[in-house]
């Protein structure tokens, strides 16, 4: 069976936690982290919540243009990203893909024969990525970039029943330690 790392996008691989997608730029260490994960035998899968699409704040075509730009940026030197999945829904849509729901992880686990117990979710929002890790049976790493520090501070109550398996300075430090 394969193993995978499921990454959040904004605040984890680059950009800011809640900023507009068209301002997204990868952190300087993001590609090194993704390459290191590949060398350690992991599939690299990005899962991002983009509820601004269903709320009508972010037009789908604008999002898709940015999605392609970001994917090309990560994959420009070598193929670092295996899947890049986005959820356009808001909570009231009752989808199964909006983090912390596990739809995308379940789908990838089936497609690639991934052992989720040997896999990780890495993100800067405890209520999304750490709860997702728990729901999917993966290990969860909270990074301190983006909204990570606030997740441990003023937003800790939004995921009070959960604990990260690890807290890392950033995604590169996270990959180094797994
Ligand atoms: Mg984030």
């Amino acid at each position: 069976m394969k193993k995978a790392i499921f990454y959040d996008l904004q605040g984890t691989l680059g950009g800011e936690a809640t900023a507009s997608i068209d301002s997204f730029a990868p952190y300087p260490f993001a590609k090194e982290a993704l390459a290191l994960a590949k060398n350690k035998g992991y599939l690299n899968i990005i899962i991002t919540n983009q509820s601004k699409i269903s709320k009508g704040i972010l037009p789908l075509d604008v999002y898709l243009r940015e999605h392609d730009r970001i994917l090309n940026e990560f994959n420009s030197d070598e193929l670092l990203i295996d899947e890049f999945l986005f959820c356009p829904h808001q909570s009231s849509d009752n989808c199964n893909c909006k983090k912390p729901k596990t739809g995308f992880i379940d789908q990838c686990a089936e497609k690639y024969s991934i052992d989720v117990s040997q896999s990780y979710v890495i993100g800067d929002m405890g209520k999304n990525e750490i709860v997702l890790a728990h729901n999917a049976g993966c290990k969860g790493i909270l990074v301190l970039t983006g909204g990570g520090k606030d997740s441990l501070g003023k937003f800790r109550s939004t995921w009070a029943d959960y604990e990260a398996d690890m807290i890392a300075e950033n995604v590169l430090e996270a990959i180094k330690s797994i």
Side-chain angles (χ1 to χ4, degrees):
M1 293 192 73
K2 296 202 168 97
K3 52 187 183 175
I5 298 175
F6 300 97
Y7 303 87
D8 170 56
L9 182 65
Q10 290 160 284
T12 300
L13 290 173
E16 291 172 51
T18 55
S20 166
I21 189 80
D22 49 18
S23 66
F24 181 91
Y27 295 138
F29 47 78
K31 278 185 161 186
E32 184 183 349
L34 293 163
L36 182 59
K38 282 260 142 192
N39 286 341
K40 292 191 175 197
Y42 292 90
L43 294 166
N44 285 329
I45 297 172
I46 301 173
I47 298 177
T48 180
N49 283 355
Q50 297 293 337
S51 63
K52 285 176 185 169
I53 297 171
S54 61
K55 290 173 183 164
I57 301 164
L58 173 60
L60 180 60
D61 62 328
V62 172
Y63 174 76
L64 292 174
R65 186 188 69 212
E66 294 303 314
H67 183 104
D68 285 350
R69 173 183 68 81
I70 292 165
L71 186 59
N72 289 336
E73 231 164 306
F74 281 127
N75 282 345
S76 60
D77 303 318
E78 57 179 310
L79 197 94
L80 293 174
I81 304 298
D82 296 287
E83 292 274 354
F84 183 6
L85 302 164
F86 71 98
C87 168
H89 305 111
Q90 49 192 317
S91 301
S92 58
D93 292 330
N94 282 319
C95 67
N96 69 356
C97 52
K98 188 177 192 302
K99 295 180 286 188
K101 292 186 179 177
T102 62
F104 284 145
I105 291 185
D106 299 341
Q107 184 183 310
C108 289
E110 175 147 347
K111 178 173 176 182
Y112 293 101
S113 293
I114 293 166
D115 181 350
V116 289
S117 72
Q118 298 301 309
S119 299
Y120 291 82
V121 180
I122 301 179
D124 68 318
M125 298 269 250
K127 74 180 173 78
N128 287 348
E129 286 87 36
I130 302 305
V131 179
L132 172 64
H134 175 87
N135 290 345
C138 300
K139 280 165 271 199
I141 303 178
L142 187 82
V143 287
L144 296 178
T145 50
K149 291 193 174 102
D150 282 343
S151 280
L152 290 173
K154 63 181 173 183
F155 298 136
R156 188 65 181 90
S157 63
T158 62
W159 55 296
D161 296 339
Y162 302 86
E163 291 285 342
D165 292 285
M166 191 195 303
I167 293 167
E169 198 59 39
N170 58 49
V171 69
L172 178 57
E173 295 306 314
I175 303 295
K176 281 180 182 170
S177 61
I178 67 178

